[in-house]
């Protein structure tokens, strides 16, 4: 069972001490003050105050590395940095330093290679829907039953 309320308590907590606070303030200025939005406590609570608008702003920026020098040099620097990160010792209980999106990419590769586990209720719903639509209900499931099955690629 996922402790949803506990997850929400930590989902928006500050991080990294003073540097994290500085980063948070910078984001508040870009997304709030600069865009004539609101900041801090004036932002509506997205979890509790359904009748109060959030009034949050969104700020997007795109940077072309070629505007600062050679794109090839930038790409090489990124490759070197990624290689350095891969060599770092992992934190206790982890198998390595991950780049943004790497966990999802690894999960997708694993699912494409090994398949996706489905609970029995999902298998049943998919088979019922297939029958209702007149579609061949064979989903390539192995070991399907009450406990579910594995949808193979």
């Amino acid at each position: 069972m996922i402790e949803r309320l506990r997850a929400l308590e930590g989902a928006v907590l500050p991080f990294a001490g003073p540097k994290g606070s500085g980063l948070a303030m910078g984001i508040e200025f870009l997304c709030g003050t600069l865009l004539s939005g609101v900041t801090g406590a004036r932002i509506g609570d997205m979890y509790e105050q359904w009748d109060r608008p959030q009034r949050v702003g969104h700020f997007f920026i795109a940077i072309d590395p070629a505007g600062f020098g050679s794109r090839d040099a930038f790409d090489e620097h990124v490759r070197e940095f990624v290689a350095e990160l891969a060599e770092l010792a992992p934190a206790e209980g982890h198998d390595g330093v991950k780049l943004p999106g790497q966990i999802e990419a690894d999960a997708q590769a694993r699912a494409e290679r090994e398949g996706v586990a489905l609970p029995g209720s999902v298998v049943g719903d998919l088979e019922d829907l297939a029958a209702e639509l007149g579609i061949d209900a064979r989903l390539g499931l192995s070991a399907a039953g009450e406990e579910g099955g594995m949808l193979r690629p």
Side-chain angles (χ1 to χ4, degrees):
M1 173 76 175
I2 296 173
E3 297 180 50
R4 291 180 287 255
L5 294 179
R6 188 166 180 217
L8 290 176
E9 288 172 4
V12 291
L13 291 177
F15 64 95
K19 289 182 180 181
S21 295
L23 179 60
M25 282 188 274
I27 291 170
E28 290 267 352
F29 288 132
L30 291 172
C31 296
T33 306
L34 184 66
L35 302 175
S36 301
V38 294
T39 56
R42 289 178 294 281
I43 297 173
D45 185 319
M46 66 187 282
Y47 303 111
E48 301 292 330
Q49 298 171 324
W50 299 97
D51 59 339
R52 179 179 171 195
Q54 285 185 279
R55 296 191 55 218
V56 295
H58 301 279
F59 180 83
F60 300 91
I61 186 170
I63 300 173
D64 181 3
F68 298 90
S70 161
R71 177 61 193 242
D72 290 338
F74 174 82
D75 291 346
E76 181 58 27
H77 184 104
V78 169
R79 280 191 289 277
E80 290 171 3
F81 185 69
V82 168
E84 290 170 11
L85 289 176
E87 296 299 319
L88 291 174
E92 187 175 328
H94 296 275
D95 61 354
V97 176
K98 304 290 186 193
L99 297 171
Q102 186 174 352
I103 292 171
E104 295 81 2
D106 291 348
Q108 180 178 349
R110 185 173 44 260
E112 289 173 354
R113 189 176 57 251
E114 301 171 13
V116 178
L118 297 175
S121 61
V122 172
V123 172
D125 288 346
L126 289 172
E127 289 173 345
D128 291 346
L129 182 60
E132 181 182 318
L133 297 172
I135 299 171
D136 185 354
R138 292 180 303 229
L139 299 173
L141 291 168
S142 60
E146 278 188 34
E147 68 283 348
M150 185 66 82
L151 183 59
R152 302 257 179 225

